[in-house]
Amino acid sequence: MSSDMQVFLLPDLGEGLTEAELVNWLVAVGDEIKVDQPIAEVETAKSMVEVPSPYAGTVAELHGQAGETLDVGKPLISIARAGAAPVAPEAPAAVEDAVSTGVTASPEVSAAAETYRTEEKAGSGNVLIGYGTPGGATAGRTRPRKGSVAVVGSVVQEAPLEPALAGTRIPGKLSAVISPLVRKMARDHGVSLDSIEGSGTSGLIMRKDVEAAIATPEAPAAPAPTRAPEAQPAVEGDVDSRTGLAVAARTAVRGVRKAVAANMAKSRSEIPEATVWVDVDATALLEMRAELKKRAPHDTPGLLAFIARFVTAGLKKYPALNTRFETVADGSQEIVGFDGVNLGFAAQTDRGLVVPSVRNAHQLSARELDAEIRRLTAVARDGRATPTELGSGTFTLNNYGVFGVDGSAAIINYPEVAMLGVGRIIDKPWVVNGELAVRKVTELTLAFDHRVCDGETAAGFLRYVADCIENPGGALADM
């Protein structure tokens, strides 16, 4: 392989993910690209991200088709250096092997591998949006991200709303959308992108095209498809051998659903879990929140935020539930404790169930917890949550009461060791001071790993949170 050819391998997308689904190419063979230009949109088990190029030059080869699952460390794109003579793409495996395994190769391949190492280390600092290449000189993009507001660290840059993509096309599509902002706008307004003729280069659908479709009442609006796995119609005559019934559809298990399935199976197979539960009179908590809402209608935390505050305080008293059970390299086992709480909470999205986490939740007030829970819920549903936000929890709070159920035998979010569930709050007969009354009652359910603690610890934590809900004023005053 010529040293003028640069092969960019699919990078680790964070948190040890080993594969990603190629959703869309944002460039085509023959395109001239710049450093940090987004080249592909990929979906991991945790989020949707754009992958920017660490190299400038001419696109020589695209290693994969839309819809294909690619392994981390495998070639993603081959780029000829700017000003280099056109080179026919060669098999990238030799460079990949030289880079990842260190196996002795020919001088030509070794030179290409060394070039990859050198440029990767000194790269743009933006192999992934929001992350960075090793040794990157800057923490942000070297040019504005198109079609969005780029937020990196504490620096906020307003970027142009419409991408300048001269000579860029997306293979296999008559019209296409690159900007996630444009796609979200169409989805939120029920506009079908298939019905829009793009005004950009090669039929690219621009923001102004979607705005025009929204403003045209005659145009019938159809919901845009979600990123959930699509059920494929079964082949005619496809009959299930076990039941004898015709197969109606087959749905590929991938993305978030694939990650959830693997995580839940691992949790069930490795964690000897136990469950304790208790009914709780939440009347005082609802009354306290109603009173606060009268004083500050637009600045009152939600019920989940108050419960989250009680949970973080409870984990301080019962730290065994805020740990991780690990088997180390020599086969011995240990329980890892943490100095702080990253509180995860279950959020249902179009892509499946995800668990974003509020980092250092133990340091936040109920009002601050409420703001962060709302922010993380929004980015998770938009598919913009980072791997760190989705994979750093130490304990999970699950409000399944929003689905109208009272309790659940929950599966612990591996590798955590406990999960607290909150059921719906309903009117129930309750004895108060020896007399029957109607109270607002909910059920708390705690699933815990019996390897890290016994029932006494689990019951103590559950009772502590229950007591805080029943006497929220006193509990908050003591925190």
Side-chain angles (χ1 to χ4, degrees):
M1 175 179 290
S2 168
S3 60
D4 288 331
M5 187 66 65
Q6 305 161 116
V7 179
F8 178 39
L9 310 182
L10 181 65
D12 181 351
L13 303 175
E15 297 298 318
L17 296 173
T18 59
E19 64 182 19
E21 180 186 341
L22 178 58
V23 176
N24 216 12
W25 282 110
L26 307 182
V27 296
V29 173
D31 287 351
E32 294 289 335
I33 63 174
K34 301 177 181 178
V35 172
D36 283 352
Q37 178 174 332
I39 55 175
E41 187 177 49
V42 301
E43 181 179 19
T44 72
K46 295 185 174 182
S47 58
M48 189 95 70
V49 295
E50 287 179 348
V51 181
S53 172
Y55 307 126
T58 303
V59 177
E61 185 175 0
L62 306 177
H63 301 283
Q65 302 292 326
E68 185 178 345
T69 298
L70 306 178
D71 293 330
V72 169
K74 298 295 183 181
L76 178 65
I77 189 171
S78 296
I79 302 169
R81 296 180 189 278
V87 180
E90 301 178 29
V95 170
E96 179 195 337
D97 291 343
V99 172
S100 60
T101 67
V103 176
T104 302
S106 67
E108 193 172 33
V109 170
S110 297
E114 185 58 34
T115 298
Y116 177 87
R117 291 191 192 97
T118 302
E119 298 196 7
E120 185 75 357
K121 289 177 182 177
S124 65
N126 294 287
V127 164
L128 278 185
I129 295 170
Y131 303 94
T133 51
T138 61
R141 300 171 67 86
T142 59
R143 65 188 182 88
R145 180 178 177 181
K146 303 178 182 72
S148 66
V149 176
V151 181
V152 182
S154 60
V155 180
V156 179
Q157 295 176 306
E158 291 205 6
L161 287 175
E162 303 203 82
L165 295 166
T168 301
R169 62 181 177 83
I170 297 180
K173 290 194 175 185
L174 296 176
S175 62
V177 178
I178 285 182
S179 170
L181 188 67
V182 174
R183 283 198 304 274
K184 183 177 185 301
M185 179 186 294
R187 182 173 68 248
D188 291 346
H189 289 84
V191 174
S192 172
L193 294 172
D194 294 335
S195 65
I196 298 178
E197 183 176 348
S199 61
T201 304
S202 300
L204 187 73
I205 298 176
M206 316 295 281
R207 176 180 177 136
K208 62 184 179 183
D209 300 325
V210 176
E211 290 175 339
I214 294 171
T216 306
E218 294 80 11
T226 69
R227 284 298 307 154
E230 296 178 359
Q232 301 296 327
V235 178
E236 186 175 354
D238 187 0
V239 177
D240 179 56
S241 59
R242 177 178 172 274
T243 63
L245 298 174
V247 176
R250 295 184 182 275
T251 304
V253 179
R254 62 190 187 193
V256 170
R257 178 53 54 196
K258 182 177 179 180
V260 169
N263 196 55
M264 295 299 99
K266 193 168 187 178
S267 178
R268 276 293 195 218
S269 65
E270 292 191 15
I271 298 178
E273 66 186 36
T275 305
V276 290
W277 60 91
V278 63
D279 286 340
V280 182
D281 181 359
T283 306
L285 178 59
L286 268 68
E287 290 175 346
M288 183 191 75
R289 184 175 182 273
E291 185 61 32
L292 290 174
K293 199 167 182 64
K294 290 179 182 178
R295 302 176 190 173
H298 305 296
D299 195 29
T300 302
L303 290 174
L304 189 64
F306 284 113
I307 297 175
R309 186 70 187 90
F310 302 150
V311 166
T312 58
L315 291 174
K316 185 177 180 180
K317 291 177 66 69
Y318 298 92
L321 296 169
N322 188 52
T323 60
R324 185 170 63 235
F325 192 93
E326 287 187 350
T327 300
V328 295
D330 62 1
S332 61
Q333 296 175 322
E334 61 186 18
I335 297 173
V336 181
F338 304 106
D339 183 17
V341 178
N342 287 351
L343 184 63
F345 60 95
Q348 192 68 42
T349 73
D350 290 340
R351 300 171 61 245
L353 183 69
V354 296
V355 186
S357 61
V358 178
R359 296 173 66 81
N360 294 309
H362 60 289
Q363 298 176 351
L364 304 181
S365 66
R367 185 171 285 106
E368 292 168 331
L369 284 166
D370 184 71
E372 188 63 0
I373 288 172
R374 292 178 187 276
R375 184 191 72 80
L376 287 168
T377 299
V379 298
R381 287 176 177 166
D382 288 343
R384 296 183 290 108
T386 67
T388 298
E389 289 171 332
L390 292 174
S392 60
T394 61
F395 183 96
T396 294
L397 176 60
N398 187 0
N399 180 21
Y400 43 71
V402 296
F403 300 114
V405 297
D406 299 327
S408 169
I411 300 176
I412 297 170
N413 185 29
Y414 183 92
E416 298 168 15
V417 299
M419 174 187 289
L420 179 69
V422 184
R424 60 178 178 163
I425 300 176
I426 59 175
D427 289 339
K428 280 189 175 182
W430 198 261
V431 176
V432 180
N433 297 325
E435 296 184 359
L436 195 62
V438 176
R439 307 288 283 182
K440 301 291 185 181
V441 178
T442 186
E443 182 178 282
L444 300 182
T445 308
L446 177 69
F448 66 99
D449 186 338
H450 226 314
R451 296 174 298 178
V452 302
C453 71
D454 297 324
E456 180 182 6
T457 299
F461 169 80
L462 187 63
R463 189 64 253 172
Y464 175 85
V465 176
D467 290 343
C468 288
I469 292 174
E470 293 183 343
N471 182 26
L476 292 171
D478 293 336
M479 292 178 185

